[in-house]
Structures are given as C-alpha cells and as structure tokens.
Amino acid sequence: MKRTIQYLATLAMAACVLTACEKDDTDFSKYTNGSSSSTDSGSEDSNISTIYIAYSGNSVTVTGDTEGYVSTSGADVTVNTGVDTDSLLLILSGSTTDGSLLIYREKKFGIKLNGVSITNQDGPAINNQCGKSLYMEVASGTTNTLSDGTAYTEQTYQQKGALFSEGQIYFMGTGTLNVSGNCKHAIACDDFIVFQENVTLKANSSAGNGIKANDGVWINDGTLDIQVTADAARGIKCDSIVVITGGTTTITTSGDCVYDTDETDYSSAACIKCDYDFSMSGGTLTMTSSGDGGKGINCATNVLFSGGTLKAVTTGSNDDAKPKAVKGDTGIIISGGSFTATVNKSWACDNGTDSDTPEDHLTIQGTPSTKSIAKKSVIITY
C-alpha cells in the first residue's frame, strides 16, 4: 500500500513538472540572451543582469557586475545575488585548470557556456546552490568542458558532481558540453533535468554515475553520450521517472557489481536505473553493459516502450549477479517502435515473473511486423 501511495504521488509530481515545462518555463530568452520580451516590462524580474566571466589560468575577469554580485579568489568565482529579483545571466568563457563557479540565488537564472573549460581540483566545476530553475545554454559552435578533481575539500554546502545543481536544469543550445566526474558523478541534480534542443553532451565518470537526478529525467532532443566505468555505477540514475521522447542517447557501463551491506545483496551497474517508470516514445537509445551482473535498463516499476529505437546489450557474466538487458519489476510493455534486447547470460527481459516461458517476461500490445522472443534475445518491430 505504501509503495502504491508513493507511486501515485510521483505520477502527480511528474504531471506538475510537465505542466511547468509546458507553461512557466518555456520563455528562456531573458536567461539565455540577456533581453526580456515586451510582456516582461513592469514585472518584478524585468531588469536583466548580464555578467561576463572569463577564466584565464589562475585568474578571472568579470565584467557587467554592476550590483556587486561577484567575488573571486584566484579563478574561484562566487556569485551571490541574495534575494535580488532581477533576471540573471552568466556568460562563461576562457579556461582554467584550478577554478570554479559557485552560485547562491533564490530565483531562476541562466548560464551560457560560451567556449569555457573549468577544472576544479578540489570540488565541482560548477556548483549551483539555487533551488530554482537553471537554464544552461551551450552556445552554438562552441566546445565546453567541466571537470572535478579526484578528491573534494569538505564544505558546508553540498558537492555531488563536476556539475551540481540544487534546482532543475534545462539544457539547451546546439554546442558541445563535455563533463567528467573523477571523484563523484559527472552531472548531479537534486531536482529534475530536461534536455531540450540539439545539445551534444558527453558525460563520463570513473567514480560515480554519469547523470544523477532526484525528481526525473526528460530527454526530448540532443545527442547524449554517457560512459561510466566505476563498479555498480549507472549511466543515468534517477530516484523518479525517466522519459525519452527524442534525441540520440548512447550509454556504456563497464563496472562490475558490488555487495551492498545495507541491502544484503549485490548492486549492479546499469545504463539506466530508475525507481519509477521508464517510458520511451521516440528517439534512439543504445545501451551496452559489460560488467558482471550489468543491466541495460533496471526499473523498479514499469518499462513502457511505445516508439523510437531501443537496443540494449549486456555481455557480462553472472558470477555474483544476474545480467538483464531490460528489467522492469512490475512490467515491460511494448506497443510500438523497434525494441531489441540481448544478453550473454540470464534473461534478456525480466518483468518479475518466475515463469520459464520467455513470452511471459514481457507484454506486447498491437501487432508487430517482427516478433522474436527467446530467453537471451528479444526483437520486436512495428
């Protein structure tokens, strides 16, 4: 009963998030180009503060900070707007191998990555302590790099990855962003993440997950390449739902499973791990997991596949845990698109049933043009 209540609550939350995406958070202009539309005149945040932050080795140049929001120490930058209601846009450029950006704010704002490379030797490259929306534009024609160090200096604020945000992150733009997690996750968010437009994102982690979000991940567009090598690490780890409607996503994991003393069970690497529904209606998703007991999709509730192209391949052994290409504990429902799941060991699809009949491990709706279902290989095409 408790799990049912939690599930319904999460669905309600997801509906609210989608409503916010469709209504409140669609005007990105003042957060990504520093200008507000005419409809913003007279509103409490109609004034635009555009601040340029240019990194250069161990120093940084700041221009446009007319309100005194920015402080610096070497190439470490802190932006603190307090309770100011002005719209804020930070435009980042240049390069540093020992710098960072830390933001304190109480309203949504924008960051434009305009050809910037930030490596922080002792913490996140960008750490957003604002609980509201962060609109992160990756400028067209630019390549941008964010990387953390191999150890973090203890702080009073949270530090969970090379790019960390307390609030939601909306990725947009048509440039390239490379994020490397060497101590923790590559990208971590205590809220939800939305991928818009045709961003090219490469997220690698040798210590944690590629992308970690608490309240949902939506992939609507873009090209995502996620690679994680740590044991029991996940390409995308979400405590809520994962929704894919477009774009091209490739995820590779190579870590083995590890024994979890709290759960008294083994924890496996997975390309996508979510605590509630995984759903896909468009785009392309390619997953490869090569470690012992590795998973393509490991979903605690339903896997709902209705369109696009999904391919999951697990090549790992089953010495300590059972590899699965697609695992949905309460159901795997296929109703459209192209779906391929293959394994070396164990089951290609696992919906929680104890049946030895492969057809019982998934639900097919409609009439596919191709249907091949075996223990180690499932191919469904509409």
Side-chain angles (χ1 to χ4, degrees):
M1 181 64 180
K2 182 179 179 181
R3 186 176 182 83
T4 300
I5 292 172
Q6 291 174 332
Y7 180 53
L8 292 174
T10 299
L11 290 180
M13 177 276 297
C16 292
V17 168
L18 287 174
T19 299
C21 292
E22 292 171 357
K23 296 180 180 179
D24 299 339
D25 295 320
T26 54
D27 181 12
F28 307 133
S29 60
K30 59 190 172 185
Y31 305 104
T32 57
N33 63 22
S35 63
S36 59
S37 63
S38 60
T39 59
D40 291 322
S41 59
S43 68
E44 65 176 359
D45 63 354
S46 60
N47 297 319
I48 309 300
S49 295
T50 301
I51 300 174
Y52 296 84
I53 301 172
Y55 292 88
S56 180
N58 294 323
S59 64
V60 64
T61 301
V62 178
T63 56
D65 179 25
T66 59
E67 302 295 331
Y69 293 146
V70 182
S71 61
T72 64
S73 176
D76 292 318
V77 179
T78 300
V79 178
N80 191 338
T81 66
V83 297
D84 199 297
T85 58
D86 284 359
S87 295
L88 176 68
L89 171 62
L90 306 175
I91 300 179
L92 311 183
S93 62
S95 176
T96 178
T97 58
D98 190 16
S100 63
L101 174 65
L102 173 65
I103 306 106
Y104 293 101
R105 182 168 167 78
E106 296 186 10
K107 293 202 66 172
K108 51 192 175 184
F109 70 104
I111 292 178
K112 178 181 284 187
L113 304 178
N114 193 34
V116 68
S117 176
I118 303 173
T119 296
N120 185 3
Q121 301 294 340
D122 53 15
I126 295 180
N127 189 336
N128 173 36
Q129 290 294 303
C130 175
K132 302 297 182 179
S133 298
L134 163 59
Y135 303 97
M136 180 164 282
E137 180 184 11
V138 186
S140 175
T142 68
T143 297
N144 304 269
T145 302
L146 305 175
S147 179
D148 63 2
T150 56
Y152 286 8
T153 300
E154 185 175 350
Q155 303 288 353
T156 57
Y157 47 81
Q158 293 191 90
Q159 308 179 99
K160 297 183 179 180
L163 168 58
F164 172 62
S165 178
E166 292 277 2
Q168 313 96 32
I169 308 176
Y170 292 83
F171 286 98
M172 61 198 69
T174 58
T176 297
L177 172 59
N178 302 316
V179 186
S180 295
N182 300 297
C183 179
K184 298 187 180 181
H185 311 306
I187 299 173
C189 176
D190 277 353
D191 210 295
F192 63 82
I193 298 176
V194 180
F195 292 94
Q196 303 278 94
E197 299 181 355
N198 196 25
V199 172
T200 296
L201 170 70
K202 297 180 180 179
N204 303 317
S205 180
S206 58
N209 303 311
I211 296 173
K212 170 64 173 72
N214 287 2
D215 296 335
V217 175
W218 279 262
I219 302 174
N220 300 324
D221 203 348
T223 301
L224 280 63
D225 183 356
I226 305 168
Q227 299 185 31
V228 295
T229 58
D231 290 342
R234 286 72 187 244
I236 296 176
K237 170 65 174 72
C238 184
D239 297 342
S240 182
I241 61 176
V242 174
V243 180
I244 300 178
T245 64
T248 301
T249 303
T250 303
I251 307 175
T252 304
T253 70
S254 57
D256 291 329
C257 59
V258 297
Y259 189 75
D260 188 328
T261 55
D262 293 332
E263 299 293 333
T264 63
D265 198 2
Y266 283 93
S267 178
S268 301
C271 295
I272 296 177
K273 174 70 170 70
C274 51
D275 289 349
Y276 291 93
D277 283 1
F278 167 89
S279 64
M280 181 172 176
S281 60
T284 299
L285 172 62
T286 304
M287 297 169 288
T288 305
S289 185
S290 59
D292 179 36
K295 312 287 193 295
I297 295 175
N298 187 356
C299 175
T301 55
N302 294 309
V303 173
L304 308 170
F305 180 76
S306 61
T309 300
L310 181 153
K311 183 177 182 180
V313 178
T314 61
T315 60
S317 62
N318 60 351
D319 293 339
D320 293 315
K322 295 180 179 179
K324 309 283 176 62
V326 177
K327 179 176 176 285
D329 287 351
T330 59
I332 300 172
I333 302 170
I334 302 171
S335 59
S338 175
F339 178 99
T340 302
T342 59
V343 295
N344 256 359
K345 305 282 187 179
S346 191
W347 289 87
C349 291
D350 178 10
N351 62 0
T353 183
D354 292 329
S355 173
D356 291 329
T357 304
E359 286 80 0
D360 293 340
H361 283 250
L362 67 162
T363 300
I364 298 174
Q365 297 179 340
T367 306
S369 58
T370 301
K371 183 174 71 172
S372 174
I373 303 175
K375 180 178 180 178
K376 297 181 180 180
S377 175
V378 173
I379 302 173
I380 306 293
T381 304
Y382 287 81

